[in-house]
């Protein structure tokens, strides 16, 4: 692996931003750092498309998305570069999923 980070954490918000999304993303960022996972946290005020394009260009092995949609589905969206489809996992499972 030559990627500069192990995980890329994307916080997706809308104009009517749910504060819970930002809180959960920041909580997850701290958890990953405390577990020794090198993580790039993208909390820019940019569109989802821009953030996904950036994530693809950088080539970080695991993309983690925190959004209102993923939280409503029970967690966060995680996608490894080697997998075709993302999946929703609970916040508690993220550290172990990225460490594998």
């Amino acid at each position: 692996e030559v990627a500069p980070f192990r995980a890329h954490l994307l916080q997706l918000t809308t104009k009517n931003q749910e504060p819970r999304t930002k809180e959960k993303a920041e909580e997850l960022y701290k958890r990953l750092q405390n577990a020794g996972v090198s993580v790039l946290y993208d909390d820019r005020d940019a569109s989802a498309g821009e953030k996904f394009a950036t994530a693809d260009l950088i080539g970080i092995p695991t993309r983690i998305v925190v959004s209102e949609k993923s939280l409503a589905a029970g967690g966060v969206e995680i996608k490894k570069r080697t997998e075709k489809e993302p999946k929703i996992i609970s916040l508690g499972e993220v550290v172990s999923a990225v460490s594998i």
Side-chain angles (χ1 to χ4, degrees):
E1 287 183 31
V2 294
F5 298 93
R6 181 137 186 88
H8 195 164
L9 177 61
L10 284 72
Q11 173 196 326
L12 301 185
T13 55
T14 60
K15 296 221 186 247
N16 303 323
Q17 179 179 352
E18 171 78 33
R20 182 174 84 130
T21 304
K22 183 175 183 166
E23 291 168 8
K24 292 296 182 185
E26 289 177 357
E27 174 188 324
L28 185 54
Y29 179 60
K30 288 175 186 168
R31 269 195 215 173
L32 289 164
Q33 285 187 315
N34 289 338
V37 176
S38 59
V39 58
L40 176 61
Y41 179 30
D42 189 347
D43 63 347
R44 296 177 293 154
D45 185 24
S47 71
E50 266 185 89
K51 290 183 179 187
F52 287 131
T54 300
D56 287 342
L57 284 172
I58 296 173
I60 297 173
T62 305
R63 182 182 73 205
I64 306 163
V65 178
V66 180
S67 66
E68 291 177 39
K69 181 180 168 184
S70 70
L71 292 173
V76 298
E77 180 184 293
I78 189 165
K79 182 181 178 297
K80 297 189 185 247
R81 290 185 69 76
T82 57
E83 299 172 346
K84 275 193 165 200
E85 296 296 321
K87 58 186 171 187
I88 301 289
I89 63 172
S90 72
L91 289 166
E93 296 175 287
V94 174
V95 172
S96 61
V98 172
S99 299
I100 295 174

